[in-house]
Amino acid sequence: MSIDIERLQHASMHVSDIVADPSRWTELLAEVAVATGAMGAALIPQTGSTGALATAHLVECLETYVRESWPEQDADSHRRARVLNMRGEVAFDRDLVGADDRRAPFFEEFMPRFDGRWWAGIGVRGGPDFWSLTLHRSLRQGAFEQSDRAVFRQFSLRLNEVGSLAHLAGRVALSSVADSFDQIGKAVVAIDETGRFIHANAAARQLMRASILVVGERLMFRDRHAAAEYGKVVDRLRGLREGKTLLAPPIVVRRENAAPLVIRTLPVDGAAKSPFLCARALLLLEEVVRPARSDWQAFSRAFRLTPAEARLAALLATGETLENAADALGVTKETARSRIKAIFQKTDTHRQAALVALLASLGRR
């Protein structure tokens, strides 16, 4: 099957539209697939970022590819494709099979499960990351021809140009959002869905200091419990569908010689969620204000807590552990645990971090 040059040129002319509206990537991929006589197309990250995009026909194919660890099962062809695409070259399925290879499991075993047989990959660069625009053809649609390389190389120039613009636009949009939080005194950190650090505004950097470090583009927490909770949040970000609510409790970060931090996670949608930037969430950082001695009475009135429960709640709102709060109140750990269960029920919370965030916000009013 030959490439529809006119239709591909039309797609190329509209590639720049995705800079302003990243949600149109899937629409563009579908148009490219039709123009190139392919059954489907996908945009797959090769370094750094996550969040592959695909036309409907390839969604299950990509999910299975990752779930069944095919990059490891067919490591040689995967490595060859990665190297060629990172060089910005166009690769066909026959380029990924070495002269001494008797078989290529990806092409002979995996692709036929999804009606595929022939493959092409175009290297695309977006900011510091590399991506592959991959095209799958069925046996009936036929192999990509040698003359198609020149067509794909020309198209790749446009893709790389737009990839750089999309990355820049996403970073500008994200920076603008973060800076707007600065103006109202709020600290915010942007991460991708793997937890990779992307950006932090001035207020966030001030609060992070020695308690949250950026090491190798990753957030490192000195508080081990907070680190474990952050890992759970990142796990939930993976696969979170657009527009869906992230069901993740606040994270309490305890710091030496400083009040604790409460971190809330807000998924990123819209222009800042460009695939070439992959900002997936904003972390809203807030320092817990230590409540006054009388705050336990406010907690009691607000949630109908008993005096004993309210005094325990007031200590927990300062970031104290349950064990330390029990010692301060002169009660056993078992008594403290019993009281916190009652507090959870009355405040409609289920975890200590969520309770601390709730009480801390009440204490600031």
Side-chain angles (χ1 to χ4, degrees):
M1 182 173 289
S2 61
I3 295 176
D4 186 334
I5 302 296
E6 184 176 346
R7 189 158 191 167
L8 187 61
Q9 288 177 339
H10 180 270
S12 180
M13 290 172 58
H14 289 85
V15 167
S16 59
D17 294 347
I18 60 178
V19 176
D21 185 5
S23 67
R24 296 188 62 184
W25 266 108
T26 304
E27 178 185 331
L28 173 69
L29 291 175
E31 189 173 352
V32 171
V34 172
T36 57
M39 59 192 291
L43 188 65
I44 304 173
Q46 296 293 337
T47 61
S49 301
T50 60
L53 301 174
T55 56
H57 198 90
L58 293 189
V59 170
E60 184 182 357
C61 175
L62 285 179
E63 291 176 349
T64 305
Y65 182 78
V66 174
R67 185 174 62 252
E68 296 183 0
S69 302
W70 273 91
E72 289 75 33
Q73 290 193 53
D74 198 17
D76 288 341
S77 61
H78 176 75
R79 175 182 52 79
R80 291 186 182 110
R82 190 169 183 268
V83 169
L84 288 171
N85 285 165
M86 287 180 65
R87 289 176 183 167
E89 298 180 19
V90 174
F92 291 158
D93 45 85
R94 51 188 174 272
D95 301 323
L96 310 187
V97 181
D100 299 329
D101 293 344
R102 295 182 179 178
R103 54 195 296 273
F106 174 74
F107 301 110
E108 296 181 13
E109 298 175 20
F110 181 79
M111 286 187 66
R113 290 165 57 184
F114 302 93
D115 300 326
R117 179 60 182 89
W118 312 106
W119 179 94
I122 304 172
V124 184
R125 183 162 188 167
D129 296 332
F130 291 90
W131 294 68
S132 291
L133 174 63
T134 64
L135 301 163
H136 290 204
R137 279 184 178 177
S138 66
L139 186 63
R140 179 181 57 82
Q141 290 171 321
F144 291 97
E145 299 176 2
Q146 186 64 26
S147 58
D148 294 337
R149 288 187 192 273
V151 177
F152 285 145
R153 286 195 188 101
Q154 188 65 32
F155 185 53
S156 72
L157 296 176
R158 181 62 172 156
L159 284 176
N160 278 279
E161 176 184 290
V162 171
S164 297
L165 288 174
H167 175 83
L168 178 60
R171 182 163 289 280
V172 169
L174 186 61
S175 178
S176 297
V177 170
D179 290 345
S180 68
F181 277 92
D182 251 335
Q183 294 175 12
I184 58 175
K186 297 294 184 181
V188 63
V189 176
I191 60 172
D192 72 8
E193 66 180 33
T194 70
R196 184 179 69 152
F197 171 84
I198 295 177
H199 181 80
N201 66 356
R205 292 183 181 278
Q206 181 73 12
L207 287 179
M208 291 163 64
R209 291 186 180 176
S211 58
I212 306 175
L213 306 177
V214 179
V215 180
E217 296 187 323
R218 299 286 167 180
L219 295 180
M220 305 297 291
F221 294 76
R222 293 192 180 277
D223 181 342
R224 293 183 179 180
H225 180 74
E229 293 301 306
Y230 176 68
K232 295 177 183 177
V233 169
V234 172
D235 287 341
R236 288 173 177 157
L237 278 175
R238 292 188 176 96
L240 182 68
R241 294 183 179 179
E242 186 80 15
K244 293 295 183 180
T245 300
L246 178 66
L247 300 177
I251 302 170
V252 175
V253 183
R254 292 181 173 84
R255 303 182 293 172
E256 293 184 6
N257 304 317
L261 298 177
V262 174
I263 300 178
R264 296 177 178 83
T265 308
L266 179 68
V268 171
D269 294 314
K273 191 177 176 294
S274 163
F276 288 116
L277 183 59
C278 279
R280 191 64 186 93
L282 296 179
L283 305 179
L284 307 181
L285 281 61
E286 197 162 15
E287 190 171 31
V288 173
V289 177
R290 295 188 179 276
R293 291 184 179 181
S294 61
D295 277 351
W296 71 267
Q297 296 174 336
F299 298 156
S300 179
R301 290 192 299 270
F303 302 107
R304 297 184 180 180
L305 304 179
T306 67
E309 292 166 353
R311 288 189 177 94
L312 175 60
L315 285 173
L316 294 176
T318 69
E320 289 287 359
T321 64
L322 185 63
E323 290 75 11
N324 289 344
D327 289 341
L329 294 172
V331 300
T332 65
K333 293 180 181 178
E334 289 70 24
T335 298
R337 289 194 184 98
S338 177
R339 290 176 183 173
I340 198 172
K341 288 180 181 178
I343 295 170
F344 282 157
Q345 184 176 10
K346 293 178 181 180
T347 58
D348 195 26
T349 55
H350 305 282
R351 299 166 65 96
Q352 189 171 339
L355 176 65
V356 170
L358 175 64
L359 298 180
S361 64
L362 182 64
R364 288 191 299 273
R365 294 176 184 176

